[in-house]
């Protein structure tokens, strides 16, 4: 490594500092690399998630860079446990760290990086909102929300998990339209091209997400589409798409960023 080396910490850091793991597609470290940014830095390291299949894609990307003639050591993929991540965070030869994820983990990465004199970009969690007005084209709006909330399994920074609907009539029509379209999504093996949603990464994480769905019902939100039916009868850790209606700001399903893999599965409507 040389001066100016840059490390992208993907979701394995969440395994290190918190109780759950999510799909590294949220951070999309490949996008950073293929934009051409690697040509402006002496070296780039991607610390991939131990439990995350993105590492296979990242390995393929490394192979393609090598075949294209990128010098050894410019693009680096690190698979490892907690010690590997802590080593990268503590190595003073690495000058900058970029992280996107939950707020507690972002704070932990910021502290660790700052203590070792690094420039740190640590972006915390957020829920993206869309406002639906009474004069909206509902067909286009429903298609847009399906893509934004459930497309790519929701694993991207700009996934929209909350729709704020203006007007009771508009809300009723939007819920009915989304519910109908969600029944058309296929939940199955992520390697099957016909699947729209694959399994969650572990049984523990599936149970955690299901717990949030249960909590939303307990707090009074209306579960217009219940994806918990996919818990049984599948060889894997599956949940189907969910849609909550009548979500209020005090509810934890509204205030908590529900990391799922895939995600968000928890479409929320507030009106």
């Amino acid at each position: 490594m040389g001066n100016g080396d840059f490390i992208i910490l993907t979701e394995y850091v969440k395994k290190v500092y918190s109780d759950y793991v999510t799909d590294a597609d949220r951070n999309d470290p490949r996008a950073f690399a293929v934009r051409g940014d690697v040509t402006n830095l002496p070296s780039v390291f991607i610390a991939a998630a131990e439990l995350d299949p993105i590492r296979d894609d990242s390995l393929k990307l490394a192979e393609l860079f090598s075949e294209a003639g990128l010098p050894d050591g410019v693009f680096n993929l690190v698979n490892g446990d907690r010690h590997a991540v802590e080593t990268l965070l503590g190595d003073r030869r690495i000058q900058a760290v970029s992280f996107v994820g939950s707020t507690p983990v972002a704070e932990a990465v910021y502290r660790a990086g700052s203590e070792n004199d690094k420039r740190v970009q640590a972006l915390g969690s957020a829920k993206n909102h869309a406002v639906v007005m009474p004069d909206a084209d509902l067909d286009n709006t429903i298609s847009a929300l399906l893509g934004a909330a459930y497309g790519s399994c929701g694993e991207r920074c700009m996934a929209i998990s909350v729709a704020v609907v203006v007007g009771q009539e508009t809300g009723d029509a939007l819920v009915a339209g989304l519910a109908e379209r969600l029944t058309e999504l296929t939940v199955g093996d992520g390697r099957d091209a016909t699947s729209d949603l694959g399994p969650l990464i572990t049984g523990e994480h599936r149970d955690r997400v299901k717990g949030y769905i249960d909590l939303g019902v307990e707090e009074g939100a209306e579960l217009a589409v219940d994806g918990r039916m996919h818990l049984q009868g599948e060889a894997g850790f599956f949940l189907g798409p969910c849609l909550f209606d009548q979500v209020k700001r005090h509810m934890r399903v509204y205030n908590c960023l529900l990391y799922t893999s895939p995600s968000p599965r928890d479409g929320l409507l507030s009106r």
Side-chain angles (χ1 to χ4, degrees):
M1 295 184 294
N3 290 332
D5 291 341
F6 192 91
I7 175 174
I8 305 171
L9 295 176
T10 65
E11 300 298 332
Y12 183 76
V13 179
K14 291 180 180 176
K15 180 66 168 65
V16 172
Y17 289 103
S18 68
D19 297 326
Y20 54 93
V21 176
T22 69
D23 194 332
D25 272 343
R26 173 178 300 279
N27 296 346
D28 204 355
R30 294 164 297 175
F32 177 89
V34 300
R35 282 202 311 260
D37 293 351
V38 294
T39 62
N40 301 317
L41 295 167
S43 187
V44 173
F45 288 78
I46 292 180
E50 183 183 60
L51 298 178
D52 199 320
I54 187 157
R55 61 182 176 176
D56 295 329
D57 292 339
S58 297
L59 284 171
K60 184 61 177 178
L61 183 60
E63 293 175 1
L64 292 173
F65 273 134
S66 179
E67 292 175 5
L70 192 71
D72 291 343
V74 176
F75 178 83
N76 305 275
L77 175 66
V78 179
N79 284 306
D81 57 12
R82 172 175 183 161
H83 298 293
V85 175
E86 290 179 344
T87 297
L88 289 169
L89 280 170
D91 195 313
R92 291 184 179 273
R93 292 173 295 177
I94 293 176
Q95 300 297 305
V97 176
S98 177
F99 176 81
V100 179
S102 69
T103 297
V105 181
E107 291 173 348
V109 169
Y110 184 84
R111 285 194 299 270
S114 298
E115 288 171 358
N116 289 282
D117 301 322
K118 304 184 192 308
R119 289 169 291 157
V120 181
Q121 173 180 278
L123 305 179
S125 57
K127 275 185 179 287
N128 299 307
H129 291 53
V131 178
V132 182
M133 300 298 290
D135 61 349
D137 183 325
L138 281 184
D139 288 338
N140 285 337
T141 299
I142 290 168
S143 294
L145 286 175
L146 280 172
Y150 303 94
S152 297
C153 299
E155 285 294 340
R156 50 192 175 195
C157 294
M158 293 308 294
I160 296 175
S161 57
V162 181
V164 181
V165 187
V166 179
Q168 187 70 35
E169 183 178 348
T170 304
D172 290 343
L174 187 66
V175 169
L178 281 171
E180 181 180 358
R181 293 285 298 275
L182 287 176
T183 61
E184 300 172 358
L185 297 182
T186 300
V187 180
D189 192 327
R191 297 166 296 182
D192 188 337
T194 64
S195 296
D196 297 299
L197 294 172
L200 281 82
I201 198 163
T202 65
E204 179 184 9
H205 188 55
R206 176 201 58 196
D207 294 342
R208 177 181 179 274
V209 176
K210 177 184 176 297
Y212 269 107
I213 300 171
D214 297 339
L215 180 62
V217 175
E218 292 173 10
E219 291 186 328
E222 296 180 9
L223 188 55
V225 177
D226 188 351
R228 294 173 295 181
M229 61 183 178
H230 289 281
L231 281 171
Q232 304 296 329
E234 297 282 355
F237 310 119
F238 289 93
L239 283 175
C242 290
L243 178 65
F244 278 109
D245 190 14
Q246 302 294 340
V247 176
K248 309 305 179 185
R249 292 180 60 186
H250 69 275
M251 296 178 180
R252 276 173 284 182
V253 289
Y254 177 83
N255 288 291
C256 296
L257 183 59
L258 310 186
Y259 285 111
T260 70
S261 177
S263 164
R265 297 184 190 271
D266 60 312
L268 306 177
L269 285 97
S270 176
R271 54 190 173 117

